[in-house]
Amino acid sequence: MDIKEQVEFSIRKTFHKELFSRFAKAINTYELLQPGDKVAVCISGGKDSMLLAKLFQELLRHRKFPFSLEFLVMDPGYLPENRRKIEDNAALLGIPVTIFETEIFDTVYDIKDSPCYLCARMRRGNLYSKAKELGCNKIALGHHYDDVIETILMGMLYGGQVQTMMPKIESTNFPGMELIRPMYLVREEDIIRWRDENGLSFLQCACRFTEKAELEKADGGLESKRAEIKRLIRELKKTNPYVESNIFKSVENVNLSTVIAYKESGKTHYFTEWYGKKHQGDSAENRIDEP
């Protein structure tokens, strides 16, 4: 059994419950796929996106309804060794990738304010554009359950807002295009176990800014906000093993009658709009007066 067969067998058997079942559950729960979809599976070279590609291949093998795939790799300016590692892993795992090049890293490298935000927007835009060129109507990203709960906490603690990373988003700049996150319910620890038990090695992060930040951290600098949140969750789990699922459920169980304000389509609505108006619909003839 070669590596490709071994990896596919592990998805069907060893990790079926942890990986494929949760992948399929997210697709069904959040209605991420419809018949006739053509999905661009976006591969960055890390463990998450490579697993995403293999899960989609497994789903296509079942073929409950017609859909098709493109495996898309955007090179934003990787070092040659990082580009080569992505190509080698794709060949090893039997993923027929389409690679296209951009100069995003060079464009944002000298920007002082929010280079990561600009880089992410540019990468997303280039992926949408290439996917549409290839006839796709959706792009799929490899964000997982842990990314979701970390994003919720980061928004609350550093952004002063309650929001989450949504399972799917309609593109505003590319009409008819949609972003989906089929690994929404997959745990990172299970992805790591899948990687390690198959003896696989992927890119950790090929971003120049992250590499620089890691070097600065090694020299006594501050850790990233996401790393800080990961550490906080680990600490909280020591006394509450359900903390992760509770964070996730918190954005499913929002009670609007107990929040001070919420935003919808950019407009803020305060509780004073509906406070005290619960019984105003009662008409006089329906009320029973004291004798």
Side-chain angles (χ1 to χ4, degrees):
M1 186 182 297
D2 63 19
I3 292 294
K4 173 180 173 294
E5 293 172 333
Q6 175 186 312
V7 164
E8 292 172 353
F9 181 82
S10 73
I11 289 173
R12 291 181 198 129
K13 300 295 182 181
T14 313
F15 296 98
H16 187 273
K17 180 180 177 182
E18 294 86 353
L19 299 180
F20 188 77
S21 291
R22 291 178 182 174
F23 169 77
K25 181 179 179 181
I27 288 175
N28 291 328
T29 301
Y30 304 118
E31 300 177 353
L32 303 184
L33 278 182
Q34 282 78 39
D37 279 345
K38 186 174 185 181
V39 183
V41 182
C42 301
I43 299 172
S44 65
K47 67 185 189 313
D48 306 328
S49 61
M50 285 291 188
L51 173 60
L52 177 66
K54 294 309 296 180
L55 290 170
F56 261 115
Q57 284 183 325
E58 180 65 14
L59 186 66
L60 192 62
R61 192 177 70 87
H62 290 269
R63 199 178 285 277
K64 295 290 179 67
F65 56 80
F67 71 95
S68 57
L69 302 170
E70 289 280 352
F71 298 97
L72 199 55
V73 175
M74 181 185 65
D75 182 346
Y78 290 135
L79 294 173
E81 56 267 32
N82 289 334
R83 164 80 173 254
R84 191 158 48 248
K85 190 168 186 65
I86 294 173
E87 293 171 336
D88 290 346
N89 275 329
L92 184 72
L93 296 175
I95 304 169
V97 294
T98 296
I99 302 178
F100 71 103
E101 298 175 357
T102 69
E103 297 179 351
I104 293 175
F105 282 174
D106 288 336
T107 302
V108 303
Y109 189 72
D110 293 322
I111 293 176
K112 302 298 183 190
D113 297 326
S114 304
C116 296
Y117 173 77
L118 179 59
C119 181
R121 283 186 62 88
M122 292 179 69
R123 288 166 73 118
R124 188 77 51 84
N126 276 274
L127 287 169
Y128 270 127
S129 181
K130 187 64 177 181
K132 194 165 188 176
E133 178 188 315
L134 294 172
C136 300
N137 65 309
K138 292 181 178 178
I139 65 171
L141 302 184
H143 295 120
H144 49 66
Y145 185 95
D146 297 72
D147 290 324
V148 176
I149 61 174
E150 289 160 16
T151 299
I152 295 168
L153 271 190
M154 286 177 70
M156 293 174 66
L157 301 181
Y158 299 115
Q161 57 190 346
V162 177
Q163 65 175 26
T164 189
M165 181 183 283
M166 296 296 287
K168 61 181 179 181
I169 305 170
E170 292 180 321
S171 174
T172 53
N173 296 324
F174 295 85
M177 297 289 291
E178 189 175 41
L179 180 154
I180 61 174
R181 295 183 169 104
M183 298 208 324
Y184 204 79
L185 303 177
V186 176
R187 297 304 311 268
E188 185 175 27
E189 63 186 8
D190 294 322
I191 301 173
I192 292 170
R193 286 200 308 118
W194 167 81
R195 178 198 66 191
D196 293 347
E197 291 198 23
N198 283 291
L200 299 171
S201 174
F202 300 113
L203 291 184
Q204 293 297 319
C205 182
C207 172
R208 298 180 194 175
F209 297 101
T210 304
E211 289 173 348
K212 182 180 178 183
E214 287 300 317
L215 289 173
E216 290 174 349
K217 180 185 171 185
D219 290 335
L222 297 174
E223 64 184 343
S224 71
K225 291 290 185 285
R226 190 166 288 275
E228 207 174 306
I229 290 295
K230 283 180 179 289
R231 182 169 53 80
L232 173 61
I233 292 173
R234 283 197 301 270
E235 288 299 312
L236 292 171
K237 277 185 70 176
K238 291 178 181 178
T239 53
N240 179 6
Y242 305 107
V243 68
E244 292 157 309
S245 61
N246 285 342
I247 294 169
F248 188 91
K249 289 175 183 175
S250 71
V251 292
E252 291 185 325
N253 297 323
V254 177
N255 185 344
L256 291 181
S257 65
T258 64
V259 299
I260 296 171
Y262 70 92
K263 286 185 178 180
E264 185 176 25
S265 301
K267 182 181 179 182
T268 301
H269 299 271
Y270 286 92
F271 78 101
T272 50
E273 291 181 23
W274 61 87
Y275 182 80
K277 299 177 183 178
K278 183 176 180 181
H279 302 296
Q280 283 188 2
D282 295 342
S283 60
E285 60 269 23
N286 289 333
R287 291 200 300 267
I288 300 176
D289 295 324
E290 293 290 336

